[in-house]
Amino acid sequence: MSITSQLKKSLPKNIVISGEENTRPFECDGLSVYKQKPIAVVLPNEVSQVKKVLEICRKNKIPIVTRGAGTGLSGGAMPLKDSVVLGLSKLTKVISINPEEQTAIVQPGVRNLAISEAADEYGLYYAPDPSSQIACTIGGNVAENAGGVHCLKYGLTVQNIESIKIMTIEGEELVFSRQDEGLGLLALMTGSEGLLGVITEITVKLTKKPEVAKLVMAGFGSVRDCANAVADIIKNGIIPAGLEMMDEFAIEASEEFARPGYPLGSKALLLCELDGSDELVSNDLETVLSLLSKASSVRVSESEEERLLLWKGRKSAFPAVGRISPDYYCMDGTIPRGKLAEVLKEIGKLSKKYGLPVANAFHAGDGNLHPLIMYDANEKNSLEKTEKFGADILKYCVKVGGVLTGEHGVGVEKRELMCEMFNNNDIQQQIKIKKALDASSLLNPGKVYPILRKCAEEGRVHVHRGKTKFPDIPKF
């Protein structure tokens, strides 16, 4: 009996999707340049069904690719040819909210923004706010350790969850909590990209809504002046709720798309949000404004509507660029804040080298860059050229003391760059952790860890007499 037949026989009607056309919507995530249709897609609406899917796939040695809303940008949810996609988007219950403890227990398919909507009546909200928060799910946020524009003050996903329940490939339910003694396994699971288990429940930390929130928008005549303003704000002890930068191209695209009133003609834009008590915000605002002497324009939000509109422009940067370019490739590297101007200058040089325009919108507060490389997939070799451009950006991020990813994950996109950042022992240890929880490597195989042949070809792995120090890297 085929795997599809076994799944359909064991699960309720309309849970299993099969057939080439029916599975096409699940062939990729937000990084749509990489596509592959699975054998079948399963959309359980109960946790017990998740366990059944794992049991059937384990017995048949069928790989499982867990999927949330599919908004990821690293190919982490892209299926394998002979895999089953386990979609958790129907597990959408907000199980409980505890206003006193400021926590909520939710299923993995609950949308990021829906958590804040559910907690609103208690004056609470869920702080991490990725640009895709209207669609992305909390399960996917945990899998990638998502951030957002407010991560500088309130942290990434890992700082905003109290515990998670996962189901191992063996069907065993495990709970990882912030209260656990010993190794920080909750942090290990956060950002594990579906390699170690299937998330079935999350307890998130909720945050009290601030009394006041003000957004300062400042335009600058140079990227360096804007980057220096970021450093000055942090050096003066101000911790903004959000601290974002955009370059000229991103400013123009976002203004055309969302009409927030951005200063056209500026080479760089700074968005600095201050929140807290009325007295704290007033004092911090006075300090911040005194540090913006080199700004060509400064505007402070006077209402909640204005504040949200100014943020709308920044959060619309990705679709805004998609509106003016046939295709774009969104990168995700993180660097020390002090290297912002240097790295942006290098990206400009690479843009000229490859003949491809790039718009930059990024979380300046924690150095998380999101260069948007614009290209036309209809032009011969354009994707290959774009991938090389993106790889050079990430290599430079590592060179200046940064890392390959801030919140999008490694997936398949950055897989071959892992050897740029990690040595033999690092990768070996990561694979040992993977094998401890998934000995047969059935959970999202082919992601994160580099393909041995590719690393060897590019000189990043030494192969001597047919032997390598990476005996556990899958040889796809």
Side-chain angles (χ1 to χ4, degrees):
M1 188 183 296
S2 70
I3 185 69
T4 303
S5 297
Q6 291 181 54
L7 289 167
K8 287 184 175 180
K9 182 180 178 181
S10 304
L11 296 166
K13 192 176 180 181
N14 299 324
I15 294 286
V16 181
I17 299 171
S18 61
E20 187 168 329
E21 289 304 311
N22 294 333
T23 58
R24 189 178 298 278
F26 302 90
E27 67 184 1
C28 65
D29 58 12
L31 185 60
S32 58
V33 295
Y34 305 129
K35 299 177 181 179
Q36 177 65 63
K37 283 184 277 295
I39 299 173
V41 178
V42 186
L43 300 175
N45 49 40
E46 293 180 7
V47 174
S48 60
Q49 296 164 2
V50 173
K51 187 172 185 176
K52 193 65 182 177
V53 173
L54 293 174
E55 177 189 332
I56 294 170
C57 289
R58 184 180 73 251
K59 287 180 179 178
N60 290 274
K61 293 184 168 56
I62 299 294
I64 300 164
V65 178
T66 309
R67 180 186 178 96
T71 58
L73 292 167
S74 64
M78 184 189 77
L80 302 174
K81 184 178 180 181
D82 298 317
S83 69
V84 166
V85 168
L86 178 57
L88 304 180
S89 57
K90 288 188 176 182
L91 296 175
T92 57
K93 293 178 184 175
V94 176
I95 297 169
S96 66
I97 295 177
N98 188 322
E100 288 75 28
E101 294 186 0
Q102 294 182 208
T103 59
I105 302 174
V106 299
Q107 290 187 316
V110 175
R111 292 178 301 108
N112 175 292
L113 188 59
I115 299 175
S116 293
E117 291 170 346
D120 183 65
E121 63 178 293
Y122 305 105
L124 303 169
Y125 73 107
Y126 180 65
D129 57 341
S131 295
S132 59
Q133 68 177 148
I134 193 171
C136 66
T137 61
I138 186 63
N141 289 176
V142 173
E144 303 292 354
N145 193 23
V149 299
H150 289 94
C151 64
L152 173 61
K153 183 173 183 177
Y154 295 105
L156 303 168
T157 301
V158 69
Q159 282 89 30
N160 287 274
I161 54 174
E162 295 298 320
S163 68
I164 61 171
K165 283 184 183 179
I166 73 157
M167 200 167 286
T168 69
I169 188 65
E170 301 292 335
E172 181 184 4
E173 189 174 83
L174 301 176
V175 178
F176 300 105
S177 170
R178 192 171 298 280
Q179 308 305 318
D180 293 341
E181 296 181 0
L183 296 174
L185 296 180
L186 176 62
L188 172 69
M189 295 303 303
T190 307
S192 59
E193 301 194 37
L195 295 171
L196 305 179
V198 178
I199 299 166
T200 57
E201 186 179 288
I202 306 106
T203 300
V204 302
K205 181 176 76 174
L206 300 175
T207 301
K208 284 186 178 180
K209 288 184 177 181
E211 289 179 28
V212 181
K214 293 275 189 180
L215 185 59
V216 180
M217 177 180 72
F220 288 85
S222 76
V223 170
R224 182 166 294 279
D225 285 344
C226 189
N228 288 339
V230 169
D232 289 341
I233 290 169
I234 300 298
K235 279 192 293 186
N236 277 269
I238 306 294
I239 303 179
L243 194 59
E244 300 286 303
M245 268 182 70
M246 300 168 70
D247 69 3
E248 186 175 17
F249 212 126
I251 294 167
E252 292 176 356
S254 297
E255 176 61 26
E256 180 66 25
F257 185 84
R259 303 291 183 186
Y262 287 172
L264 296 176
S266 297
K267 296 297 182 183
L269 179 73
L270 180 65
L271 294 172
C272 175
E273 182 166 289
L274 306 167
D275 70 359
S277 67
D278 188 59
E279 181 182 4
L280 176 64
V281 171
S282 295
N283 291 337
D284 284 353
L285 181 60
E286 183 178 348
T287 302
V288 168
L289 292 177
S290 72
L291 299 171
L292 301 177
S293 59
K294 292 190 176 181
S296 54
S297 65
V298 178
R299 173 179 162 190
V300 181
S301 64
E302 297 296 333
S303 66
E304 181 67 2
E305 292 73 23
E306 184 180 11
R307 183 184 74 86
L308 293 175
L309 179 61
L310 293 175
W311 274 129
K312 182 181 179 182
R314 166 60 186 89
K315 292 190 174 187
S316 299
F318 293 4
V321 170
R323 191 170 176 229
I324 61 176
S325 175
D327 302 279
Y328 72 84
Y329 197 84
C330 179
M331 304 308 300
D332 166 54
T334 300
I335 59 171
R337 280 191 298 264
K339 299 291 185 178
L340 282 172
E342 176 187 337
V343 173
L344 286 175
K345 185 177 180 180
E346 180 66 19
I347 291 173
K349 290 179 181 178
L350 290 170
S351 177
K352 291 178 181 178
K353 173 185 174 181
Y354 286 99
L356 294 169
V358 59
N360 289 287
F362 49 93
H363 311 313
D366 65 349
N368 186 197
L369 308 177
H370 292 312
L372 301 166
I373 304 170
M374 288 165 271
Y375 72 104
D376 187 346
N378 292 316
E379 294 181 5
K380 187 178 180 181
N381 300 323
S382 64
L383 176 58
E384 182 181 359
K385 184 167 67 169
T386 301
E387 289 176 318
K388 288 180 179 178
F389 182 3
D392 282 351
I393 291 174
L394 294 179
K395 288 175 186 177
Y396 199 79
C397 287
V398 174
K399 181 181 177 180
V400 300
V403 295
L404 293 172
T405 179
E407 57 178 338
H408 292 176
V410 176
V412 296
E413 177 207 20
K414 306 179 188 74
R415 182 180 57 192
E416 265 59 72
L417 293 171
M418 287 283 279
C419 298
E420 295 282 342
M421 183 173 166
F422 297 105
N423 63 30
N424 298 356
N425 291 333
D426 293 334
I427 293 181
Q428 191 72 10
Q429 285 300 117
Q430 292 180 48
I431 292 172
K432 284 180 180 178
I433 293 171
K434 162 75 169 167
K435 295 187 78 172
L437 287 168
D438 179 22
S440 299
S441 194
L442 293 177
L443 293 175
N444 214 10
K447 313 291 174 61
V448 180
Y449 307 124
I451 295 174
L452 181 61
R453 175 183 56 77
K454 182 74 171 175
C455 275
E457 283 175 356
E458 297 189 5
R460 300 193 188 104
V461 175
H462 178 60
V463 180
H464 179 64
R465 294 182 179 178
K467 295 183 179 180
T468 173
K469 292 183 179 180
F470 292 103
D472 293 323
I473 290 182
K475 299 167 182 63
F476 291 96

